[in-house]
Amino acid sequence: MAEELNGITVAFLVAQEGAEQVELTEPWKSVEACGGKPVLVSTDSGTVQAFDHLDRADTFPVDVTLEDARVMDFDALVLPGGVANPDFLRASIPAVRFVRAFFEAGKPVAAICHAPWTLIEADVVRGRTLTSFPSVRTDVINAGGTWVDEEVVTCRDGDNVLITSRKPDDLAAFNATIVAEFAHTGVAH
């Protein structure tokens, strides 16, 4: 990748379990490979349990909990999918506030697969165009968003850039897009 993310700090928000591992690790590697600093943020300290669809996969150490995470310390946010992960996050008031704060601060946010459930709970999809795993389509529409069936969607119809993708098969396009967009976020904090 030609883009440089030197000094860019990216929060990866996941619940204690349920994140689709490849949707966490592949964007993480892309951010790191371009000189960015990925940080694993979760609802609790310790480790998070990732999944390969419905099967347990690896665990990953939490860098910072939502209790201690400050949006001002990050330049961008990535929301990995998985079915359970965004369902847990949308039930967490601190997680929903954290996500909403990125939009209020005008910082780029990227979400893949079922992750738009958390965006919907944060009430940030109204008037935005996005994609998701197909089963989330009706939820996006009911929340006032426009759903499209595309590999990656970059929406600038708001105070921040919102990048979304449908599923793990779209990761190459998703990763390239987040790196390109995050590289243009301006000077790192």
Side-chain angles (χ1 to χ4, degrees):
M1 296 181 197
E3 301 291 344
E4 289 296 324
L5 297 180
N6 295 331
I8 300 292
T9 303
V10 181
F12 282 73
L13 176 62
V14 297
Q16 287 303 116
E17 64 179 330
E20 185 69 29
Q21 181 162 315
V22 71
E23 294 174 359
L24 169 62
T25 58
E26 293 305 308
W28 183 287
K29 289 176 192 172
S30 293
V31 167
E32 267 187 335
C34 294
K37 180 185 176 195
V39 177
L40 189 60
V41 179
S42 190
T43 52
D44 292 302
S45 61
T47 59
V48 296
Q49 174 67 61
F51 280 73
D52 179 6
H53 191 53
L54 298 176
D55 298 322
R56 287 181 182 272
D58 298 324
T59 59
F60 299 91
V62 173
D63 294 315
V64 64
T65 64
L66 278 168
E67 183 179 345
D68 297 324
R70 299 177 320 162
V71 171
M72 65 193 332
D73 293 336
F74 302 100
D75 301 295
L77 172 65
V78 174
L79 296 169
V83 178
N85 178 54
D87 196 43
F88 287 134
L89 290 177
R90 68 182 174 169
S92 164
I93 292 170
V96 171
R97 283 187 189 139
F98 188 71
V99 170
R100 187 180 305 120
F102 275 86
F103 284 79
E104 291 168 350
K107 296 182 178 193
V109 174
I112 187 167
C113 198
H114 291 78
W117 273 338
T118 308
L119 300 176
I120 290 165
E121 192 64 31
D123 194 24
V124 293
V125 301
R126 188 173 320 281
R128 305 300 294 263
T129 300
L130 60 155
T131 194
S132 66
F133 195 75
S135 65
V136 181
R137 174 183 180 264
T138 300
D139 299 322
V140 168
I141 293 167
N142 288 342
T146 299
W147 189 88
V148 293
D149 186 12
E150 295 177 17
E151 159 177 85
V152 66
V153 175
T154 302
C155 178
R156 292 182 172 79
D157 296 333
D159 294 333
N160 72 328
V161 173
L162 175 60
I163 304 148
T164 52
S165 278
R166 301 171 298 192
K167 56 191 173 187
D169 290 347
D170 299 334
L171 276 166
F174 182 69
N175 294 341
T177 302
I178 66 172
V179 166
E181 291 297 331
F182 293 176
H184 294 97
T185 63
V187 179
H189 66 272

